[in-house]
């Protein structure tokens, strides 16, 4: 039931590139992303800050635009190899009768706007003004010292339809999951172009909405440095889930919520993929690596709306088990002091 | 309100030494402690296994005795420097009219049994048959490769009374905590003899019961290796809390439940203490390092009973906030897909 | 002076794939690569062992063939995406009048043999029988638990000529170095197809000879676990250089010599590359990240011969500074006890 | 041949406390110790800077005094538990006819000056104005973020005579080493009071001179952060030895030279010691953990003179093998390109 990759794609998408978010308080948001996640500010003008990971030569992987109202995701960016890929993309979308148009975007070369079939607003470009990589400027690193943007996770009603758009563009599927081993319909699909398991991930939910974006970090130590620093600089309650290991076993993770509620993941580097034999791996509740506590309801259900994109109803995914459900279902073990206390105020 | 340390103690207790637990399934318990925690088995006879951390020259820091019925803690062990300290201890307890008696214990030198005023059964000894340290035998290390036993945490109705017994023996208080800054009565007291913040910790609850015992590990990587290995060797659901950082900020931690429900903590090494100016640090809800999610109810309330020791009623401690309470009180942020789903079975 | 990448390559090489070495003692060699480097044996037959990194789904990235005489490198392997790329490769080499022939190789699909202009024997293939990835089977990991093969470093008289063969095939240049800032001729060139800085690296020396091959490891801890384990299992003297950081600043490293003297590097993952703006970075003695001690002469000068490939004379590279030179040139600082000792035998 | 510990010492020394060094350039020295080692400056006045590790509540563990001429060590400091221990110490030294006198020292309580029999100038104190521990202020950490001073290593002609002074004060011997297994006379002795293997270490050489002082760091990552940062802030050539593992296997290490040539070690925490059965461990060339490359001559022979203390001749220790000797003695393995190069200037 999962779509097949087109190995002769119409143009060359190379990787997840950047994300554009709005924030109600640019100063607070910058403090979070630079102090906790460890990004650096490449430029700031007109109420917009452009940030990148310490390893990135790209001008920006995160764009923060100050705006009132509900914080939204304006757009997610994909990188293509060359400008001519954009012309090929335009021709391809025109042929498919998918609306696509060239736009001017600050600090980006030629840029093409288009939406995928589930309504996710994309922007494709090949060039940004190159910046010095700062991964070896250790004296500048803060918090998680995030190295580079890795992937987006999106919630959509129809993950198969969504994924087909990308597999037609040459994306491959690293993993997908169902609930029970015998189920057919995938509830989640992981797509990639660069040589690790994820550039774009879709989960089955009402949508389209942006669930999270992920930055690669150097090791587990810096995940803790991010959390420890967060507490010290005024973001004590930013941790939502983790540290833990993903069910597919590829990688450890920590999920944080930024001051506007946008969700960002930090994760050490995942495995390398891309040989022709790397067939999509099918996961279900029986073969997942699962020592972690389940995710809280907020992680399962809360997300960032795309700007001016209506959310359609959709299924919730089968078999979602929240941390709240899990905790309630846990049997008591050993002696429980809850059975015989006197009230605290009598102590 | 916290007791004062006697700096001229009647005998020389040096550190937390060992703990004796019962298990309903010795094979499963050994598999957990060797494969996940990374202890090694020094000896096994008569249905009793003696384990130690990879760094320990001591014969055992964990004793597992197979027994039916509710798994219990039989005793916790404290090390004194020399055998003559045991004679001084006997004389001291006799003078205090505290029942104490010498007993024969396998793989231990002269051993003295006594209970603290809250009823915790202790055993003091100076000697065990020395074993080779294995900390540099890296090819043998598994799971967390726990280095050495560090401390016990006990729940008792009266933490001040409990602590006084130990401060009279020369234990110092590293930290204690109240709920609100203005509170007087300590809810938890951390006591130490060796030069880090904890050999014995008391929290206010009905008791006495054994909450957990902690092993020092080398770094954060091995906390994850323990959890990852746990999943792979059949202990997927042993994680109870963490990885996280303690509110006092001394150290990161992970709490696991063994197959019998006994709770064990693994933690990288804490800070060094012991100068005369190291006055007890007072913690309250306003000055704690607190990025972690709160502990689940099970961590707050479940514990291991001591063998043949009645549990007395007691206060629960003020201001206990469980993970369940926290999750319920969290405000929704961003778009929530819970508001508009169609049922999963219509997907 | 460095060659230009052909962005419309005649066929699709995807990455460094595998290396075939001879060993005088297969058992010792396997003990080293499994116990110290942490590879796993996929298959062994006819005196040949096939090994892979714990993350690899590929059947083998290291092939060890027992043979008498001087240990040599038989061939290095490159992966292409699909079998049809091999036909395109054959046609391309035929058109270039470069001898290339299809051969049968155990545990590989269609395989094409060809040599680069400096004489390095290559083998191209798209397929191997897929194997389970073992990166999340932590209970099986040993030593460095090497994740995957990353790159080869080769010594050749003419690095520009050598590199041109690869850039014509679509390889890009991440870095190159000269000695003095004003020098023109590159002494070393780093080429890549996958999205990190190195699949094939050339240094200027007599050649062609194989200098080392590199495996990616999870973090710095396992570099030390490899060395610590090496000592314990009988390979105390395998460390040749490091742990240190490469002058380009991309990555830390450790170099070891296997029981036959073949050199293997273990290194945590390097930076991600591949955007069109990622122009080759020029390094010289003035802009290198260089806290490490210089490499010993053995690292500078010793290498593995390719089987049946004559070594041509060539320049040594300018400005090579060995550890031996460095140590000799160091000024004395502080008091030196060498000035006034009595002989040890009078002590 | 090694001295016996007096388990009823005349007063209570608790640990290595601090070291006083002179520097020709206080600004450079502060930049090194704060930026690379990661100490923090507690106070600075009259050309003297007082620094401490991020975990230390002590006012200072390193005192840097600007002075012209050869940089020297003025004194090493030991901590006693209480002021009354100082009076007991004075009485003890008077009875032994060892000159000892109380002095006023800035930022220290009552302080006693005395020299050990080899001439090492000591200062004992119980109190310093307590400071906030900063170990959990991660946003302030730089370089190695050194936690706390751990030990001193001193070179003296007679390590047995030197050690006896300390064992009489209650120091225990964790380890000692000879050259060949059959040798009797120890060449090095490790002494401790706190519960790890080293507060004061003596090696056999002309002396007394100060070889190095060691700071505990959190893990191996920060050893590399120290070196990486060192390069970036102008101390590229500070690395002298390591990273490596000590022959006793207790701990990894890195040795750096400060701008004046004083040697400082950074090391993750060592094992815990102190049970009565922890007999001194005897090391020789046959039972050491030894994967590291040998130390360079500079590490073996260079040291810091004590102020106004004459150096006496002494033996060099048997069996010292330098990195220079080792490299020269290494056999060539594999093909060596040194045999057939053309000169670099013909390339």
């Amino acid at each position: 039931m999962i779509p097949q990759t087109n190995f002769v794609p119409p143009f060359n998408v190379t990787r997840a590139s950047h994300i554009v978010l709005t924030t109600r308080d640019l100063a607070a948001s910058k403090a979070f992303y630079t102090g906790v996640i460890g990004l650096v500010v490449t430029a700031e003008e007109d109420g917009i800050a452009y940030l990148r990971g310490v390893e990135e030569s790209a001008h920006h992987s995160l764009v923060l635009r100050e705006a009132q109202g509900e914080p939204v995701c304006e757009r997610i960016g994909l990188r293509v190899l060359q400008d001519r890929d954009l012309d090929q993309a335009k021709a391809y979308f025109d042929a498919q009768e998918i609306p696509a148009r060239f736009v001017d975007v600050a600090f980006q070369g030629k840029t093409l706007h288009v939406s995928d079939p589930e309504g996710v607003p994309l922007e494709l470009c090949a060039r940004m003004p190159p910046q010095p990589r700062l991964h070896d400027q250790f004296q500048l690193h803060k918090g998680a010292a995030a190295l580079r943007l890795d992937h987006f996770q999106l919630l959509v009603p129809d993950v198969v339809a969504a994924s087909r758009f990308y597999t037609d563009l040459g994306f491959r599927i690293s993993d997908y999951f169902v609930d029970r081993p015998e189920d057919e319909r995938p509830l989640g699909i992981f797509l990639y172009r660069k040589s690790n398991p994820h550039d774009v991930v879709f989960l089955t939910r009402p949508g389209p909405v942006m669930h999270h974006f992920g930055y690669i970090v150097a090791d587990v130590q810096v995940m803790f440095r991010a959390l420890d620093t967060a507490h010290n600089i005024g973001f004590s309650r930013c941790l939502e889930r983790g540290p833990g290991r993903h069910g597919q076993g590829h990688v450890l993770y920590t999920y944080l919520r930024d001051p506007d509620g946008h969700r960002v993941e930090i994760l050490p580097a995942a495995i390398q993929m891309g040989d022709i034999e790397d067939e999509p791996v099918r996961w279900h509740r029986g073969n997942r690596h699962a020592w972690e506590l389940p995710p809280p309801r907020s992680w399962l259900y809360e997300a960032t709306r795309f700007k001016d994109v209506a959310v359609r109803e959709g299924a919730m995914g089968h078999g979602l088990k929240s941390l709240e459900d899990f905790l309630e279902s846990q049997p008591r073990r050993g002696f429980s002091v809850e059975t015989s206390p006197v009230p605290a105020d009598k102590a």
Side-chain angles (χ1 to χ4, degrees), chain A residues 26-303:
Chain A
L26 184 57
S29 190
K30 276 198 306 177
F32 174 81
Y33 283 106
T34 57
V36 179
I37 307 301
L39 304 182
V40 293
V41 178
T42 305
E44 181 172 356
E45 57 179 47
D46 303 328
I48 310 178
Y50 300 84
L51 298 94
R52 69 186 199 278
V54 298
E55 174 192 306
E56 293 181 299
S57 59
H59 182 273
H60 53 266
S61 53
L62 173 63
V63 180
L64 299 169
R65 183 193 307 269
E66 193 162 61
Q68 295 313 306
E70 180 187 338
V72 295
C73 177
E74 296 197 342
R75 202 159 280 273
I76 66 174
L78 301 176
R79 192 65 75 100
V80 298
L81 183 60
Q82 294 176 285
D83 280 343
R84 68 176 187 196
D85 289 295
L86 296 170
D87 297 321
Q88 293 166 344
K90 180 72 167 75
Y92 170 79
F93 292 128
D94 286 351
Q96 303 274 323
E97 299 189 349
I98 297 171
R101 66 192 179 92
F102 286 109
V103 295
D104 287 327
V105 178
F107 301 114
Q108 287 176 203
K110 200 171 182 174
T111 300
L112 186 68
H113 277 188
V114 69
S115 291
D116 77 15
E118 295 290 287
V120 176
L122 304 171
E123 107 181 354
L124 284 65
C125 72
R127 293 183 176 276
M128 294 180 181
Q131 305 299 315
R133 296 179 189 264
L134 302 173
H135 62 286
D136 60 1
Q137 299 301 301
F138 296 90
Q139 77 283 12
L140 304 177
H141 294 186
K142 297 179 181 177
L147 299 172
R148 58 184 183 268
L149 183 74
D150 185 67
H151 67 272
F152 312 111
Q153 183 162 305
L154 309 171
L155 309 182
V156 296
D158 187 340
V159 298
V160 174
S163 296
R164 187 171 296 116
F165 174 85
Y166 295 87
T167 53
D168 285 348
L169 301 183
F171 282 69
R172 296 179 65 183
I173 295 175
S174 61
D175 305 89
Y176 67 99
F177 65 87
V178 295
D179 180 24
R180 294 162 303 180
E182 64 272 24
D183 288 352
E184 287 207 358
R185 189 170 185 80
L187 298 174
I189 297 181
F190 294 71
L191 295 135
Y192 70 100
R193 280 292 294 174
K194 71 176 176 305
S195 51
N196 82 349
H198 23 53
D199 283 294
V200 179
V201 178
F202 289 107
L203 301 191
T204 300
R205 301 273 202 294
V209 286
M210 196 283 294
H211 184 266
H212 75 261
F213 55 105
Y215 273 91
I216 301 292
V217 299
D219 53 34
V220 297
Q221 264 85 350
V222 296
M223 297 201 308
F224 290 101
R225 192 172 65 178
L227 294 164
D228 282 321
T229 303
H231 172 82
N232 291 342
I233 65 172
F235 300 105
S236 295
R237 278 292 165 233
C238 63
L239 173 63
E240 186 182 46
R241 180 187 176 193
R245 178 175 294 282
H246 279 294
Q248 284 91 333
H250 299 161
V251 79
L252 297 165
Y253 65 78
T254 304
Y255 290 95
L256 304 104
R257 301 291 288 271
D258 82 6
D260 291 285
H262 303 306
R263 184 180 292 106
V264 57
E265 180 186 17
I266 50 177
L267 66 159
I271 60 173
Q272 180 175 293
M273 303 202 84
D275 293 342
I276 197 66
E277 311 99 4
D278 282 331
E279 293 294 331
V281 178
R282 179 185 171 89
W283 299 90
H284 51 75
R285 58 169 77 162
N287 70 348
R288 298 171 68 81
H289 204 285
W291 53 256
E292 54 154 354
L293 301 184
R297 278 181 207 279
S298 64
W299 191 93
L300 288 172
Y301 299 135
E302 293 176 19

